[in-house]
Amino acid sequence: MSDIDSQVPYWDASAATKTFTHPLHLPWLDGIGRHAAILDYGCGYGRTMAELEQHGFDNLTGADTSPAMIKRARHLHPTMRFATLDAPPVSPYPGAIIDAALLFAVLTCVPSDEAQHRLIAELNRILKPGGILYISELLLQDDERNRSRYSRYADHYDSYGVFETGDGAVCRHHSREWLSTLLTRFETVDTRTITVATMNGHESTGIQILARKPTAT
């Protein structure tokens, strides 16, 4: 990924202070065994993994581009497995080894089309046939504050929905159509619209998508 798509210095600098809030909808995981291999890609400080562990899942791995986030995760959850991604979106895992991959508020932090396509392709590579991809993201917002900053940065980043935050991150909100385009190699199982508190304290509309990698024929 390019620097703009990984933003490691930003995440390292903010690792100790950010709080992530995208909710985990456990009914979507009812069909997954408690020993299934689950990867939280872009795990941050391990919040979602801790919730999964509380509900009996015991084969969990977290991966993130930020060494400082991984350091915080290991401090908070010393018995869990975490890895730093040195060359994202490439992961250190063999192909077709993961039963379920979580991608929570990660595409928000990956602004470019190309990098997002590469990330989804990597998750497709490591998922087993029939494995699930659980995405939680922010949609394009309708309020004046967001519309203004989408317009302000559209030419600079050549994409409507990409913007800079006041504390130095470059983020992206998505249309439903774009997310569907990203997932053309997957079968969409379910979607739900949610309300999320952003990392800087604003309330935004989000979407969660449960998708499945087709079973090999």
Side-chain angles (χ1 to χ4, degrees):
M1 287 184 182
S2 66
D3 290 344
I4 200 66
D5 288 304
S6 60
Q7 304 183 76
V8 171
Y10 172 84
W11 293 111
D12 279 348
S14 59
T17 60
K18 293 299 181 184
T19 299
F20 304 135
T21 60
H22 283 243
L24 181 66
H25 188 54
L26 285 165
W28 278 4
L29 304 179
D30 283 347
I32 299 175
R34 290 309 191 256
H35 304 308
I38 299 177
L39 172 67
D40 187 359
Y41 190 107
C43 64
Y45 53 87
R47 176 189 66 92
T48 304
M49 291 175 62
E51 187 172 353
L52 288 169
E53 185 180 59
Q54 290 170 6
H55 287 86
F57 294 97
D58 61 9
N59 188 5
L60 305 170
T61 302
D64 202 280
T65 60
S66 166
M69 280 287 184
I70 292 297
K71 181 178 179 181
R72 180 182 175 189
R74 286 173 173 156
H75 174 74
L76 292 172
H77 315 290
T79 64
M80 290 186 175
R81 295 192 301 268
F82 296 99
T84 301
L85 297 166
D86 297 322
V90 176
S91 69
Y93 311 110
I97 196 173
I98 301 296
D99 293 295
L102 274 59
L103 197 66
F104 272 37
V106 176
L107 295 174
T108 297
C109 311
V110 179
S112 75
D113 290 1
E114 180 185 3
Q116 289 196 1
H117 275 297
R118 290 174 58 209
L119 173 51
I120 297 300
E122 173 64 8
L123 294 176
N124 184 63
R125 181 188 70 83
I126 63 177
L127 276 169
K128 296 176 181 177
I132 69 163
L133 175 59
Y134 181 174
I135 292 177
S136 189
E137 278 304 328
L138 294 179
L139 293 167
L140 290 171
Q141 308 297 306
D142 292 331
D143 60 287
E144 177 58 31
R145 181 182 70 91
N146 276 296
R147 289 201 310 266
S148 176
R149 60 182 181 176
Y150 298 156
S151 297
R152 187 184 322 142
Y153 293 105
D155 288 340
H156 182 73
Y157 290 107
D158 196 28
S159 180
Y160 184 82
V162 178
F163 60 93
E164 297 177 8
T165 66
D167 60 353
V170 180
C171 295
R172 178 174 180 173
H173 293 167
H174 305 84
S175 69
R176 295 174 186 268
E177 292 76 17
W178 171 250
L179 293 172
S180 294
T181 298
L182 276 180
L183 296 174
T184 52
R185 297 178 67 183
F186 289 82
E187 300 168 350
T188 298
V189 177
D190 203 354
T191 64
R192 60 193 296 259
T193 302
I194 58 173
T195 299
V196 183
T198 70
M199 63 182 183
N200 289 330
H202 298 282
E203 191 173 272
S204 294
T205 301
I207 185 172
Q208 296 195 327
I209 303 170
L210 185 68
R212 188 180 307 278
K213 179 178 177 177
T215 303
T217 57

